[in-house]
Amino acid sequence: MIQKLTKHGDNWALILDKPVLDLLKIDPETPLEISTDGQTLVVTPAGRQERFQAALEKTNRQYSQALKRLAE
């Protein structure tokens, strides 16, 4: 999908289509984290990375022995 920026007052805005917002479960109240590596813009709903990391750590604590055996 190719989008262009839209003038919004003194700023520029990127308009996201409703199907994209629905897919990502984002609404106008969702806080977004914006980051870049200098070439790519990444927009992520804030807090999802922390929840994923917490779930990963919990899984590793509970199943570390089984995961190690599977890796062998």
Side-chain angles (χ1 to χ4, degrees):
M1 168 188 314
I2 303 220
Q3 298 279 95
K4 290 187 175 184
L5 296 176
T6 303
K7 188 75 170 159
H8 184 72
D10 290 338
N11 298 307
W12 292 93
L14 178 62
I15 306 301
L16 302 174
D17 297 331
K18 180 98 169 87
V20 172
L21 298 174
D22 291 342
L23 178 67
L24 297 174
K25 297 181 178 121
I26 295 174
D27 63 33
E29 302 302 316
T30 305
L32 301 173
E33 181 178 330
I34 300 170
S35 61
T36 182
D37 64 3
Q39 295 182 351
T40 303
L41 181 68
V42 179
V43 180
T44 309
R48 288 189 183 174
Q49 182 65 31
E50 290 82 7
R51 288 194 307 266
F52 171 79
Q53 194 65 34
L56 179 62
E57 289 171 10
K58 180 180 177 183
T59 300
N60 283 336
R61 275 194 310 272
Q62 289 180 336
Y63 302 107
S64 64
Q65 294 302 320
L67 293 170
K68 285 178 186 175
R69 285 192 303 262
L70 284 171
E72 294 174 353

